[in-house]
Amino acid sequence: MENVIELKNVTKKFKGFSVNNINLQVKRGFVTGFIGANGAGKSTTIKTMMNLLKPDAGEVKLFGLDYKTHEKEIKERIGFVYDGNIFFEGLNLKDIKRIVAPAYKHWDDTLFDQYVEQFELPLNKAIKTFSKGMQMKASLAIALSHHAELIIMDEPTAGLDPIFRRELLDLLQELMVDGNRTIFFSTHITTDLDRIADYIAFIQKGKLVFNQSIHDVAENYALVKGELNLLDRDTEKAFVHIHRASTGFEALTDNIKAVKNIFGDTVIIERASLEDIMYYFKGGIHHA
Amino acid sequence: MLNLIKRDVILQKRQLLFYIPFIVFFILMGAPPVLIFLVASIFIPFNTYAYDEKVETNILLNSLPYTRTEIIASRYLGAIAYMILSIGVTSVALLAFNKHFTMADIAIGSGLFLLFAALTFPLFQIFKQGYITTVILISFILLTWISRPIALYINEHLTAIIDFVDNTSVTVLYIGATFFIMLIYIISWGITHSIYQRKAF
């Protein structure tokens, strides 16, 4: 399978925060959701993909190309959406298009007009008068109008109302009908991902915990509930993190088979949601 | 790259409405032509910088298919392009108001502009957002304040020099100054370029 994005041992250090040894491959033709708590390193990772940040060490390749020698070719093929508004606030959408469009060889005015109509965007009003949802739609219209093969989005659903969030997800799904297209987006609203993601990449404290198909995530992780007396130093090893209460324990495992072997029918095994996984990993890794 | 230079006009459509009145104001105030040429040249490039000191603008430009080299080159080449345009507009305005000016005014005005640009452009990359506009504004007001007596002084003495020295040495003087300013401008470009390459947005 071909990788559209390839990060190899990417490390970037800031004061008091760092992203360490990230190895991440994003496959062509799929939607990859990038999850992690606030401050886990999602935006930093996305910025290295966009060459807004240069990693201290490691290699970043998009479409198999290097930013050093193919910067323009790479960016020509990317559509980007960021969390905040990055367009000149005082300008209207028509003028922003006038600035952005000439940058792309494959800009398609008809397509842009089509999105403007679909999203009901005003062309002659200043961007700063737009609501958060409208700003997002405007960014999206611009990101989608040059036939990008790869769409990179940093928290596109943050701050959107539930109705528009669904509309956005439906739209992304429509875009994926073109099998060549790849979407990579970060979010901390994990329910978005159940609907459209094929792969989940999970980052925690600057480290990539996993990058698996959503199917594998469901197969590999589970919530386990049982009595406290079942836990001892050996049995605890089967869990990523354990949450104890007077009524019993609840824990996340990444080894369902081992749990079944150890505990048999004495525990309840439930499907772990992405939110459960994020929550338990946040508790720290108590792994053998 | 031409798109990046043209961007300034789209960005400043509204400010440009004030451009001509702004020049006319200086003419009516009786400012020396050198100063008017200088001020008119500064208008567009420095307005652009006021926009571009914002992090968001850099994220946008750097996410579009432009290289960092091109973004900085467009600033330095754009400044020259808009300077030439400003000289044209200012000359027409001066003629319209029947104000006398010489080639020396244009040469000194544009020379001062390029020098000012060369000295301040790298500062935009060094100073934190929010501070730089103030820094430039103050330095510009200071410059405007002291430039008038200096310009008058230079003007008087240049005519004196022209009276005393023959044509070839004036040419030599101009060529020398041109090379000096070009050198400073190119060094400034190099510095800004290397700072910008390493920036994180």
Side-chain angles (χ1 to χ4, degrees), chain A residues 128-179:
Chain A
K128 66 178 164 208
T129 67
F130 282 25
S131 67
K132 175 95 185 165
M134 269 161 69
Q135 276 182 11
M136 177 54 59
K137 285 182 189 176
S139 310
L140 211 57
I142 284 173
L144 298 177
S145 294
H146 63 276
H147 301 283
E149 292 164 53
L150 168 64
I151 294 162
I152 293 182
M153 300 185 285
D154 192 5
E155 304 273 0
T157 55
L160 297 182
D161 66 68
I163 296 165
F164 181 59
R165 247 179 40 224
R166 264 179 107 130
E167 279 172 18
L168 173 69
L169 296 176
D170 287 343
L171 177 81
L172 295 181
Q173 224 150 17
E174 262 169 55
L175 290 174
M176 292 307 290
V177 174
D178 172 0

Side-chain angles (χ1 to χ4, degrees), chain B residues 21-32 35-36 97 99 148:
Chain B
F22 183 70
I23 294 172
V24 169
F25 172 76
F26 271 85
I27 293 174
L28 292 178
M29 289 290 288
L35 182 63
I36 303 174
F97 281 86
K99 298 275 174 183
R148 195 169 163 156

Side-chain angles (χ1 to χ4, degrees), chain B residues 119-152:
Chain B
L119 295 177
T120 49
F121 279 8
L123 294 181
F124 277 100
Q125 307 302 332
I126 299 166
F127 280 98
K128 277 228 170 72
Q129 172 192 351
Y131 292 105
I132 184 66
T133 318
T134 327
V135 171
I136 301 296
L137 213 68
I138 289 169
S139 58
F140 179 71
I141 290 167
L142 275 176
L143 191 75
T144 319
W145 189 52
I146 59 165
S147 75
R148 195 169 163 156
I150 289 177
L152 287 173

Side-chain angles (χ1 to χ4, degrees), chain B residues 38-55:
Chain B
L38 173 63
V39 167
S41 303
I42 282 176
F43 196 87
I44 298 176
F46 281 83
N47 248 327
T48 301
Y49 256 117
Y51 274 99
D52 286 2
E53 65 167 317
K54 293 207 175 92
V55 180

Side-chain angles (χ1 to χ4, degrees), chain A residues 47, chain B residues 51-60 129 200-201:
Chain A
K47 282 178 177 178
Chain B
Y51 274 99
D52 286 2
E53 65 167 317
K54 293 207 175 92
V55 180
E56 294 83 20
T57 305
N58 283 301
I59 293 179
L60 172 65
Q129 172 192 351
F201 299 109

Side-chain angles (χ1 to χ4, degrees), chain A residues 31-35 42 136 153-173 183 185-200 214 271 273-275 278:
Chain A
V31 177
T32 299
F34 190 33
I35 60 171
K42 298 193 295 290
M136 177 54 59
M153 300 185 285
D154 192 5
E155 304 273 0
T157 55
L160 297 182
D161 66 68
I163 296 165
F164 181 59
R165 247 179 40 224
R166 264 179 107 130
E167 279 172 18
L168 173 69
L169 296 176
D170 287 343
L171 177 81
L172 295 181
Q173 224 150 17
I183 296 179
F185 78 104
S186 71
T187 181
H188 54 250
I189 304 169
T190 51
T191 45
D192 291 345
L193 297 167
D194 295 330
R195 295 170 58 87
I196 65 159
D198 302 297
Y199 286 87
I200 305 288
I214 200 152
R271 186 179 170 271
S273 69
L274 290 170
E275 214 172 289
M278 278 169 72

